[in-house]
Amino acid sequence: EREPMIAQTLTPEELGKRLKLARTSTGFTQDTAASEMKLARTTLTAIESGQRKVKPDELIAFAKLYQTSVSRLVSAEAVHVDLAARFRRVDELSE
């Protein structure tokens, strides 16, 4: 059984990058995502840049909004596999 302790090992910057990737891959702008989350856009920017930590209830809400799971946002291996797949798709589209 895996423990959800990995979330505590992620830096706010790394989690912010993952949240930004999840947001952009679902097509949300910062304005739209912030509005849906009932946050100021400046707060979302601070979260995505790692300047503000994500609260546990916010992490759950981000996962729902971006149609993913908290595990996928915080799990190192899932995100890295996911990133590789996304980048291939982007390359295929640009060819």
Side-chain angles (χ1 to χ4, degrees):
E1 188 174 310
R2 289 171 30 170
E3 282 192 44
M5 297 300 284
I6 192 158
Q8 294 175 357
T9 66
L10 283 178
T11 64
E13 292 81 7
E14 181 63 25
L15 184 54
K17 285 179 193 172
R18 292 169 183 213
L19 287 168
K20 182 176 182 177
L21 178 66
R23 174 180 58 76
T24 58
S25 71
T26 53
F28 281 100
T29 63
Q30 280 188 332
D31 285 326
T32 306
S35 175
E36 291 287 326
M37 289 289 295
K38 295 180 178 31
L39 297 171
R41 190 186 62 77
T42 52
T43 302
L44 180 64
T45 303
I47 289 170
E48 288 184 353
S49 66
Q51 296 171 350
R52 179 188 174 284
K53 288 188 176 182
V54 182
K55 298 173 186 165
D57 60 323
E58 290 172 338
L59 188 57
I60 294 165
F62 276 122
K64 284 183 185 169
L65 180 63
Y66 300 152
Q67 299 176 349
T68 189
S69 66
V70 170
S71 297
R72 287 183 68 80
L73 290 173
V74 301
S75 170
E77 59 279 357
V79 170
H80 290 302
V81 169
D82 213 9
L83 284 176
R86 280 206 180 94
F87 279 43
R88 274 197 296 278
R89 267 187 248 127
V90 169
D91 289 343
E92 289 167 9
L93 291 174
S94 64
E95 288 179 22

